[in-house]
Amino acid sequence: MKSFYRWEFFLLLIFIVEIGIFGWLSPGFLNVNNLLFSMNDFMFISIAAIPMTLVIISGGIDVSIGSIMGLCSIILGVSWSHGVNVWLAVLIAISSGLAAGLLNGLIILYSRVQPLVVTLGSMFLFSGLALVISGGSKASGYEGISGFPDTFVQLGNGSFIGIPNPLWFLIGMTAVFCTLLHFTKYGRSVYLVGINSKAAFYSGLRIKWISLSTYILSGLGGGLGGILLTSYFSSARADLGSEAVLPVITAVVLGGTSIIGGKGSIAGTVIASIVIGFMQYGLQMIGLTSEQASIVIGAMLIISVMARQSSYQKVIQWFRQSKTDSSDPTYKGEMR
């Protein structure tokens, strides 16, 4: 019964209600193939949000994630257009994402400046660098670099046994990061650093390395998100992912991760990102514009986070208290 008290269960209920409402409003919404392949539209959010969960649990934040996506995308495109094998170009792009995350982590650790300020600055740094590389390669601002091999394009558009490739990618990342965060000493260390970094230090943990590693992983998430977007659009552009930062952080926070650190889960982040993605898809299917959809999603997120912080906890406490009282043989209830 413990799982029924978890925030993740509440998110699953929201997801089921959401699917039911949109299925009632638009019967075509419940087409399984449409649902599966519509996930390609927002998989890059889920993939970037998973490593971001570790950053926020450890007490940090990384708002440069969208710029890292654009930087990795254009590096991939420029490398490939200069004759590098496309899969080697993918590795170069991933390495660039890791390097960007490493740079963020090193500046935060050794400058002692707030992570929000540092990554806000690096957001402009990476975005500007991507534009310089794009301009130097004379890539079109709208179309970017296109004409990628079909094998690469299928990475973001193909499927295996009827399941879209990006969804397989998400399943794999979820399994790896769930194991890393919830079943290893490293994961427990990330939680402890977020709860109390001084206690973690006096416990002998290498808190600098743990914090640095979370930013490196966040850079990896940005790099993978940028590669997936490039494959999905079959185009490498410097501005890919430029609007991803808020959806990524929202998915993490809505998934139950405390913005001040020390609490959160990979499962919550993944479910929240899917809830947000299908909300956008459903609102578009019933005819709302993207601006109108943003209003609805913003309201939903505020209500959900408020419920997470207050009413939901009270409801859970009331439910637990009721079960305790009813199991107590001396409890006589309100009807006596």
Side-chain angles (χ1 to χ4, degrees), residues 1 18 29 39 107 114 145 161 180 182 193 223 240 274 296 313:
M1 288 297 293
E18 176 183 85
F29 180 83
M39 296 179 75
I107 295 174
Q114 288 294 319
I145 299 171
I161 58 173
L180 184 66
H182 301 299
V193 169
L240 283 184
I274 292 174
V296 176
Q313 295 296 336

Side-chain angles (χ1 to χ4, degrees), residues 29 31 64 95 144 172 174 194 204 215 246 254 263 270 290 298 317 319:
F29 180 83
N31 183 294
S64 68
S95 301
T174 303
Y215 285 99
L246 285 180
L254 180 62
K263 189 176 182 182
V270 172
S290 58
Q317 287 174 7
F319 188 68

Side-chain angles (χ1 to χ4, degrees), residues 6-225:
R6 296 180 64 88
W7 177 250
E8 291 84 351
F9 178 73
F10 183 66
L11 286 173
L12 281 175
L13 287 179
I14 293 177
F15 175 69
I16 292 170
V17 171
E18 176 183 85
I19 294 294
I21 291 175
F22 285 123
W24 176 64
L25 292 174
S26 176
F29 180 83
L30 292 179
N31 183 294
V32 175
N33 280 333
N34 284 347
L35 287 176
L36 279 176
F37 285 90
S38 68
M39 296 179 75
N40 290 354
D41 293 342
F42 57 84
M43 267 310 97
F44 71 99
I45 297 291
S46 306
I47 286 169
I50 289 174
M52 179 69 81
T53 306
L54 275 68
V55 174
I56 296 181
I57 288 175
S58 70
I61 195 165
D62 182 1
V63 297
S64 68
I65 189 77
S67 299
I68 293 176
M69 288 185 192
L71 179 63
C72 293
S73 173
I74 199 65
I75 287 177
L76 190 161
V78 170
S79 301
W80 174 77
S81 66
H82 283 74
V84 177
N85 178 277
V86 69
W87 298 113
L88 182 57
V90 166
L91 291 178
I92 293 172
I94 291 175
S95 301
S96 302
L98 292 169
L102 175 64
L103 180 64
N104 276 336
L106 287 174
I107 295 174
I108 290 166
L109 287 178
Y110 292 103
S111 70
R112 296 183 181 276
V113 176
Q114 288 294 319
L116 177 63
V117 177
V118 171
T119 55
L120 191 62
S122 63
M123 178 179 73
F124 289 103
L125 172 67
F126 299 145
S127 178
L129 187 58
L131 288 171
V132 169
I133 295 173
S134 177
S137 65
K138 299 180 179 178
S140 165
Y142 179 72
E143 296 181 354
I145 299 171
S146 56
F148 288 99
D150 188 59
T151 51
F152 174 72
V153 175
Q154 288 301 310
L155 185 69
N157 296 279
S159 62
F160 177 65
I161 58 173
I163 306 295
N165 290 337
L167 186 54
W168 285 115
F169 206 50
L170 176 65
I171 293 170
M173 277 198 71
T174 303
V176 170
F177 276 84
C178 266
T179 303
L180 184 66
L181 182 61
H182 301 299
F183 300 103
T184 66
K185 181 180 177 181
Y186 171 79
R188 293 191 292 273
S189 301
V190 171
Y191 279 109
L192 185 54
V193 169
I195 294 169
N196 191 324
S197 59
K198 287 185 178 178
F201 175 76
Y202 288 117
S203 299
L205 296 181
R206 299 168 62 193
I207 59 172
K208 286 188 175 181
W209 161 245
I210 292 168
S211 297
L212 180 63
S213 64
T214 61
Y215 285 99
I216 295 174
L217 291 174
S218 178
L220 172 66
L224 293 174

Side-chain angles (χ1 to χ4, degrees), residues 271-318:
I271 297 170
S273 65
I274 292 174
V275 167
I276 294 171
F278 276 121
M279 176 66 73
Q280 290 176 321
Y281 176 63
L283 291 174
Q284 289 171 1
M285 283 207 66
I286 62 174
L288 268 64
T289 64
S290 58
E291 292 80 7
Q292 292 168 329
S294 298
I295 295 173
V296 176
I297 292 170
M300 182 197 77
L301 294 178
I302 292 171
I303 293 169
S304 300
V305 172
M306 288 175 65
R308 175 77 175 95
Q309 297 300 325
S310 55
S311 301
Y312 172 76
Q313 295 296 336
K314 290 178 182 177
V315 169
I316 295 304
Q317 287 174 7
W318 173 84

Side-chain angles (χ1 to χ4, degrees), residues 240-254:
L240 283 184
S242 59
E243 298 180 357
V245 57
L246 285 180
V248 168
I249 293 174
T250 301
V252 177
V253 176
L254 180 62

